[in-house]
DNA sequence: GGTCCATATTCGACAAACGTAATATGTTTG
DNA sequence: CAAACATATTACGTTTGTCGAATATGGACC
């Protein structure tokens, strides 16, 4: 591993370090990553979708159940699920007439976990 | 602590558990949290702002430096910084003509860390 | 096959986010 | 104080996101 081009950090809590040696190619790579990441974040930065993910974190739910939990209309919930499906964050499973959704992506689980700790935990971190 | 109404989890990686006992008041609380969280996520789910935060993670930067790092126009960068400032995620410090920005919030640091690991780490988690 | 129920999709209206250009504020220097 | 520089703000046109209403699909039951 080339230390001179190691944007990974050491002893910094996992955060990146961009020193003066950060070159154009690295910035380019970074932009690609940022785009991917921001798409992902956009997908989850919506009150309804966030609540859906949070509810799914405790197990699969049918669309109707989600409608009730969110006090939202059928179309809206279905649309948000559609979006989450396209992003690959949730997964449908048919059982009779109902369709049950569950989390697919480790990413969503991880982020939800962090967001939950930051905004919903009883031992809220400063 | 009332176990019957404990939405906090045990042995689940810190994720919430909403059982059948989840009542209206809890859902209400959850909605408030979701709104706060989604505001925060919206603030960081923008390619430019994400890159700004990521760059600031390695130390304070002037606006001009950020313009160059992002290959973006002055006004755009300033606007995004303004947004981040309003959300309380970054902090300005004047030094002569230049203004240097740095991260203020633990939240942004924490999330950036996670996002970085998910999307930019060499040892990208699946 | 027809009807009911659960879910998905499409479409149109409306609001919010974004970028650019122009302008304003504030600081240094001569 | 004037000029130059760094940053902030405003105004405006364009795009994108979101919701509601209406419609479509698809399984279950008679």
């Amino acid at each position: 591993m080339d230390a001179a081009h190691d944007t990974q950090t050491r002893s910094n809590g996992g955060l990146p370090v961009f020193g003066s040696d950060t070159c154009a190619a690295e910035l380019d790579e970074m932009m690609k990553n940022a785009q991917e990441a921001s798409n992902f974040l956009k997908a989850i930065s919506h009150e309804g979708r966030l609540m859906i993910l949070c509810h799914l974190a405790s197990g699969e739910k049918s669309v109707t159940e989600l409608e009730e939990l969110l006090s939202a209309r059928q179309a809206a919930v279905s649309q948000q699920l559609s979006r989450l499906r396209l992003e690959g964050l949730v997964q449908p499973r048919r059982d009779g007439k109902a369709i049950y959704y569950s989390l697919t992506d480790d990413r969503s689980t991880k982020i939800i976990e962090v967001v939950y700790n930051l905004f919903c935990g009883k031992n809220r971190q400063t």
Side-chain angles (χ1 to χ4, degrees), chain A residues 62-75 77-78:
Chain A
S62 73
V63 180
T64 308
E65 285 176 307
L66 289 173
E67 283 174 46
E68 288 163 2
L69 286 168
L70 304 197
S71 317
R73 315 238 165 170
Q74 185 266 324
V77 173
S78 195

Side-chain angles (χ1 to χ4, degrees), chain A residues 41-123:
Chain A
L41 288 171
K42 276 181 185 129
I44 68 172
S45 64
H46 175 274
E47 189 177 346
R49 289 195 290 270
L50 204 48
M51 287 195 60
I52 289 176
L53 292 174
C54 203
H55 280 299
L56 293 187
S58 66
E60 64 174 14
K61 303 268 183 302
S62 73
V63 180
T64 308
E65 285 176 307
L66 289 173
E67 283 174 46
E68 288 163 2
L69 286 168
L70 304 197
S71 317
R73 315 238 165 170
Q74 185 266 324
V77 173
S78 195
Q79 278 175 40
Q80 306 311 339
L81 283 170
S82 169
R83 170 80 188 270
L84 293 172
R85 216 185 322 125
L86 286 177
E87 302 282 344
L89 300 185
V90 302
Q91 202 175 17
R93 176 182 72 84
R94 173 144 239 155
D95 181 16
K97 303 184 231 177
I99 295 191
Y100 290 87
Y101 278 88
S102 54
L103 297 182
T104 39
D105 200 327
D106 253 18
R107 285 173 174 171
S108 47
T109 311
K110 285 229 170 59
I111 294 272
I112 287 293
E113 201 176 301
V114 174
V115 171
Y116 186 82
N117 283 331
L118 289 179
F119 292 93
C120 314
K122 290 185 177 165
N123 43 355

Side-chain angles (χ1 to χ4, degrees), chain A residues 26-43:
Chain A
E26 280 172 315
L27 285 178
D28 209 62
E29 174 74 11
M30 187 182 180
M31 270 191 241
K32 280 199 321 205
N33 289 335
Q35 190 158 15
E36 202 188 339
S38 77
N39 280 339
F40 173 79
L41 288 171
K42 276 181 185 129

